[in-house]
């Protein structure tokens, strides 16, 4: 059955590849990001393969909170319904706390947490009005435990957004029509980690492979999933429970 899926941060990396793979599965797409020329190229690429798909594109900076509500409402009106919203826009800037890097940490906090909060509010407003919908939050394996140095703030934002969805899951428990998924990706090739060579990071997988695991978990409406499952599902146990002296040596 064709459903309409809104994806934020669809101009590159995981968001763009999710769009391609969801289109392959027969879904219609509502795509947004700041770089609309990228979205237009992606739309043309997908429509060349799937001319029957419907794809709408909007410019959106998730730090413009009024625009988040406007764009989500506009997409919902254009399609009549949003079956699924994937909150994916994010960045990975950061510096160790107390070393003069507040601007980078603030930017990451605003985009990844407050921006995601605005997107969650806007998505839930649509879902409550239409009495259902599937909310998907792209968190990160870094959500599972406090991490040091340049990723301390980024990890905190990924934990925060996961908790937003866990709160909603508790609130909507037993209500039919609603679904909540939190994805915890490991290292997946994208613009965010362009500087990291695959040879340097043996756990990095291609965008296609990593996103295939994400799309599979989303389509199954899993409550939460480490993606790809190997090595990240077993590693999640280590990350959560390893004693600190051991954990520090692993990261
Ligand atoms: N790749 C990984 O290994 C990995 C692992 C764990 C979690 N994640 C998460 O996956 C998500 C996607 O990241 P990625 O790896 O695909 O990185 P990416 O290639 O850099 O893509 C990031 C996307 O977010 C959008 N974005 C950033 N700031 C935005 C803003 N202010 N407003 C609107 N859109 C904004 C970008 O679009 P514009 O610049 O065009 O606006 C871009 O489409 C992020 O939330 C990231 O934390 C990635």
């Amino acid at each position: 059955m064709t459903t309409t899926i809104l994806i934020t941060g669809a101009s590159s990396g995981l968001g763009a590849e999710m769009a391609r793979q969801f289109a392959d599965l027969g879904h219609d797409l509502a795509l947004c990001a700041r770089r609309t020329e990228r979205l237009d190229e992606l739309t043309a690429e997908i429509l060349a393969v799937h001319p029957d798909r419907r794809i709408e594109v909007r410019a959106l900076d998730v730090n413009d909170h009024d625009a988040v509500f406007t764009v989500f409402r506009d997409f919902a009106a254009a399609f009549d319904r949003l079956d699924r919203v994937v909150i994916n826009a994010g960045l990975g800037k950061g510096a160790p706390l107390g070393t003069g890097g507040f601007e980078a940490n603030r930017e990451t906090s605003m985009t990844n947490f407050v921006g995601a909060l605005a997107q969650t509010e806007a998505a839930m407003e649509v879902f409550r009005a239409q009495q259902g919908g599937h909310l998907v939050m792209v968190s990160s394996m870094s959500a599972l435990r406090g991490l040091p140095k340049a990723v301390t703030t980024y990890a905190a934002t990924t934990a925060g957004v996961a908790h937003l969805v866990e709160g909603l899951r508790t609130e909507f428990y037993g209500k039919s029509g609603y679904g909540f998924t939190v994805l915890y990706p490991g290292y997946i090739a994208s613009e965010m980690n362009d500087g990291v060579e695959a040879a340097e990071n043996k756990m990095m997988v291609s965008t296609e492979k990593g996103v295939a695991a994400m799309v599979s978990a989303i389509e199954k409406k899993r409550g939460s999933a480490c993606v790809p499952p190997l090595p990240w599902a077993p590693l999640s146990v280590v990350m959560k429970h390893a004693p600190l002296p051991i954990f520090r040596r692993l990261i």
Side-chain angles (χ1 to χ4, degrees):
M1 197 181 83
T2 296
T3 62
T4 300
I5 305 177
L6 188 164
I7 305 172
T8 68
S11 60
S12 68
L14 311 188
E17 183 59 20
M18 276 190 277
R20 291 186 189 95
Q21 295 192 17
F22 281 132
D24 289 344
L25 293 173
H27 301 297
D28 289 335
L29 299 167
L31 306 178
C32 51
R34 292 167 300 183
R35 291 172 292 175
T36 50
E37 69 289 354
R38 295 277 203 102
L39 297 177
D40 291 339
E41 285 167 23
L42 178 64
T43 301
E45 178 197 324
I46 293 172
L47 290 178
V49 185
H50 303 292
D52 294 340
R53 291 279 57 78
R54 180 173 173 199
I55 305 175
E56 296 266 344
V57 161
R58 301 284 186 279
L60 179 63
D61 180 340
V62 299
N63 291 313
D64 180 346
H65 303 139
D66 289 344
V68 171
F69 288 91
T70 303
V71 166
F72 278 39
R73 283 174 195 149
D74 188 34
F75 274 138
F79 284 96
D80 285 335
R81 181 181 171 84
L82 296 176
D83 299 289
R84 178 180 287 156
V85 173
V86 183
I87 300 178
N88 168 73
L91 53 88
K93 286 186 188 174
L97 295 173
T99 64
F102 175 64
E103 188 46 40
N105 290 329
R106 190 193 66 81
E107 199 182 327
T108 292
S109 301
M110 291 305 294
T111 302
N112 292 12
F113 185 74
V114 183
L117 171 63
Q119 293 164 74
T120 306
E121 295 256 18
M124 289 309 301
E125 184 185 276
V126 172
F127 290 171
R128 286 181 197 271
Q130 66 189 24
Q131 298 187 337
H134 181 196
L135 185 73
V136 178
M137 184 66 79
V138 180
S139 173
S140 163
M141 285 297 295
S142 67
L144 300 182
R145 190 148 176 180
L147 294 179
K149 300 184 181 172
V151 285
T152 301
T153 301
Y154 173 79
T157 65
T158 61
V161 296
H163 258 57
L164 290 180
V165 178
E166 293 307 333
L168 286 165
R169 193 197 310 289
T170 303
E171 179 177 339
F172 283 80
Y173 181 77
K175 272 199 178 171
S176 67
Y178 292 88
F180 298 96
T181 297
V182 185
L183 296 177
Y184 298 95
Y187 295 116
I188 301 173
S190 75
E191 275 183 20
M192 188 180 278
N193 44 38
D194 252 357
V196 184
E197 294 298 327
E200 276 173 47
N201 189 337
K202 298 267 187 290
M203 290 193 284
M204 177 96 74
V205 296
S206 69
T207 317
E208 294 75 14
K209 185 175 176 184
V211 170
M214 294 170 72
V215 165
S216 167
I218 294 169
E219 287 285 300
K220 289 176 186 147
K221 293 199 173 170
R222 296 270 308 276
S224 65
C226 299
V227 285
L230 289 176
W232 299 106
L235 272 182
S236 71
V237 180
V238 178
M239 280 188 72
K240 277 190 220 160
H241 301 294
L244 195 52
I246 295 169
F247 181 65
R248 284 196 73 217
R249 282 208 298 273
L250 294 176
I251 51 176

